[in-house]
Amino acid sequence: MTEPRFKRILLKLSGEVLMGEGGLAIDPVITARVAGEIADVRAAGYELCVVVGGGNIFRGLSAAAKGIERATADYMGMLATVMNALAVQNALEQIGVDTRVQSAIPMASVCEPFIRRRAERHLEKGRVVIFAAGVGSPFFTTDSGAALRAAEMKCDALFKGTSVDGVYDADPKKVPTATRYETVSYSRVLSDDLKVMDASAIALCRDNSIPIVVFNIREHGNFAAVLRGEGISTIVQNQETIDARL
C-alpha cells in the first residue's frame, strides 16, 4: 500500500459554502453535508484542520466600503467566522467527530484560544481543529489566516474548497472556453491574478512550500476523492516541482 501524499491538511472553506436557498446564512442541511465530507476524510486517517470564512454573514471589506471604519469592519467579520466555526463544530459532533474550535480572538465562554501546541495535541488525538477569527488582526483575510495556520501547524497541503473544480485561466462562469490548469505555479497565480487566494496567502504558501489544492467542495465525495488522486482539482505549487514532473 502506497503512503498518502498528504498526511496533515488544512481545509479552507468560504462562508458561502454554508449558505442555503433564499439567502439563509447558515443552512443546517448544507452544513451537515459539508461536515460529512470532512468526516469521511478524517475517517480515512488524515489529520485535519479547518478554516471557514465569514462572507455568508458579514464581509469586512464590503462594509468598510460602505462607511464602517475598516478595522472595526474586519473585527466584525472575524466574529462571523467564529459563528461559522461553531456551526461546523456542531454538525461534526452530531455525527460523532470530536472537534475543537480555537479562536485568534479569545472568547473563553465559547471556544479555546489559539494555542499552537494545544492544537497539535488535538490533532494527535484524532480531533478536527477549526481555526476561527483569522489571524486576530484587521487588514488580513481568512485566506491569509488559513495560510498562516497551515504553516504553523506544518500542514502538508492547503485544500481550498470552492464552487468550481480548480483554477482556470479565466472565470469559467463567465467565459465558457476557459481552460482549467492541472497544476500551476505560485508565480503564475500572482502574475496573472488568477484569484485563487489573496496575494499574501499565496506568497506565504510559496515561501513555506505548501501546495494549494483547489477543488469543488459542493460535489458529493469530492474532497476524499481528490485526496485519493481520483477527483478533479488544480494544484498550485513551486515551478521546480512542476518541472520535475514533466
Side-chain angles (χ1 to χ4, degrees):
M1 182 177 179
T2 58
E3 284 290 316
R5 182 179 178 188
F6 307 122
K7 174 62 176 176
R8 177 176 294 180
I9 59 179
L10 186 142
L11 173 64
K12 167 61 171 65
L13 299 172
S14 65
E16 287 85 348
V17 167
L18 306 182
M19 291 184 71
E21 298 294 332
L24 183 62
I26 302 175
D27 188 317
V29 174
I30 294 176
T31 304
R33 187 194 65 76
V34 172
E37 300 284 319
I38 295 171
D40 288 345
V41 168
R42 179 65 202 93
Y46 295 92
E47 294 181 351
L48 188 59
C49 313
V50 181
V51 171
V52 189
N56 56 322
I57 299 173
F58 190 89
R59 282 191 176 277
L61 193 59
S62 298
K66 295 179 180 178
I68 298 179
E69 192 266 332
R70 174 63 190 273
T72 298
D74 281 353
Y75 280 119
M76 293 168 71
M78 289 179 224
L79 296 178
T81 71
V82 176
M83 295 172 67
N84 283 338
L86 294 175
V88 174
Q89 179 187 42
N90 176 74
L92 283 167
E93 292 187 338
Q94 285 187 351
I95 55 176
V97 180
D98 202 7
T99 309
R100 295 292 186 274
V101 173
Q102 290 196 346
S103 171
I105 299 175
M107 45 187 77
S109 297
V110 176
C111 56
E112 297 179 0
F114 171 67
I115 300 173
R116 184 179 62 83
R117 289 184 179 273
R118 182 181 290 180
E120 287 270 7
R121 186 64 175 146
H122 289 322
L123 292 175
E124 290 169 1
K125 289 184 175 181
R127 297 165 180 154
V128 172
V129 181
I130 306 175
F131 298 119
V135 303
S137 298
F139 301 98
F140 291 93
T141 67
T142 50
D143 280 348
S144 293
L148 176 62
R149 297 294 180 244
E152 287 180 301
M153 301 305 298
K154 297 181 174 62
C155 291
D156 301 312
L158 192 162
F159 276 64
K160 176 75 180 289
T162 71
S163 59
V164 294
D165 56 5
V167 180
Y168 287 76
D169 58 3
D171 187 343
K173 296 179 180 179
K174 299 178 181 178
V175 183
T177 57
T179 301
R180 185 179 62 83
Y181 295 99
E182 289 291 334
T183 185
V184 62
S185 69
Y186 302 110
S187 297
R188 171 64 65 84
V189 168
L190 291 171
S191 63
D192 293 0
D193 194 21
L194 293 180
K195 308 295 185 184
V196 176
M197 302 175 82
D198 66 67
S200 60
I202 296 293
L204 187 55
C205 287
R206 177 196 62 196
D207 294 346
N208 290 277
S209 298
I210 302 170
I212 303 168
V213 182
V214 183
F215 72 104
N216 186 352
I217 189 66
R218 297 181 186 274
E219 183 179 336
H220 180 67
N222 198 38
F223 188 14
V226 169
L227 279 164
R228 292 194 303 268
E230 300 171 1
I232 299 174
S233 65
T234 297
I235 301 180
V236 183
Q237 55 192 337
N238 285 315
Q239 186 62 50
E240 293 80 2
T241 304
I242 297 172
D243 292 341
R245 295 188 174 196
L246 296 178

